[in-house]
Amino acid sequence: MKLQMLAHSRTGDKGDTSNISIIAYRVEDYPLLCEQLTAERVAEFFAGLREPGAAPVRRYALPNVQALNFVLPGILRSGVTRSLALDAHGKCLGSALLDLDINDL
């Protein structure tokens, strides 16, 4: 199944860094998200977009709101004021991540 079946996303940006929050619709789905959405898996998903040599993707768990927040340095290619990207703020990144396949174990 796709991640979008279990969660929605919110994004933000600062400089060349975007953060993506993935928020479970249901409390009972949060453990599955924690298990399958690792920092490494998110980094791999966005590998083609991140600048070479960028700092590692970091994951922060927010269990009280059934959310995971991912910080992705180097994905906005020099930041909003310098990027030539069509989506310099990275608002589409959350939607893209929701297309990730999740294994319902």
Side-chain angles (χ1 to χ4, degrees):
M1 85 174 71
K2 298 290 184 184
L3 177 57
Q4 64 190 335
M5 301 301 292
L6 303 175
H8 62 100
S9 69
R10 298 280 299 172
T11 61
D13 61 85
K14 189 68 166 182
D16 74 341
T17 300
S18 181
N19 71 69
I20 303 171
S21 291
I22 301 295
I23 305 111
Y25 291 127
R26 302 178 323 156
V27 173
E28 55 268 25
D29 292 329
Y30 181 66
L32 181 62
L33 299 183
C34 289
E35 175 188 312
Q36 296 209 13
L37 289 178
T38 63
E40 295 78 19
R41 187 162 185 210
V42 171
E44 181 180 315
F45 185 81
F46 288 115
L49 297 178
R50 297 182 65 229
E51 290 182 7
V57 170
R58 296 182 309 275
R59 181 182 97 164
Y60 298 94
L62 305 160
N64 290 341
V65 292
Q66 295 82 48
L68 298 171
N69 182 259
F70 296 91
V71 178
L72 295 95
I75 200 162
L76 297 179
R77 300 289 177 160
S78 301
V80 173
T81 59
R82 296 178 59 195
S83 176
L84 297 176
L86 292 176
D87 180 23
H89 287 278
K91 299 299 180 192
C92 292
L93 298 174
S95 294
L97 187 57
L98 291 176
D99 198 43
L100 185 72
D101 288 319
I102 295 296
N103 297 320
D104 187 11
L105 304 175

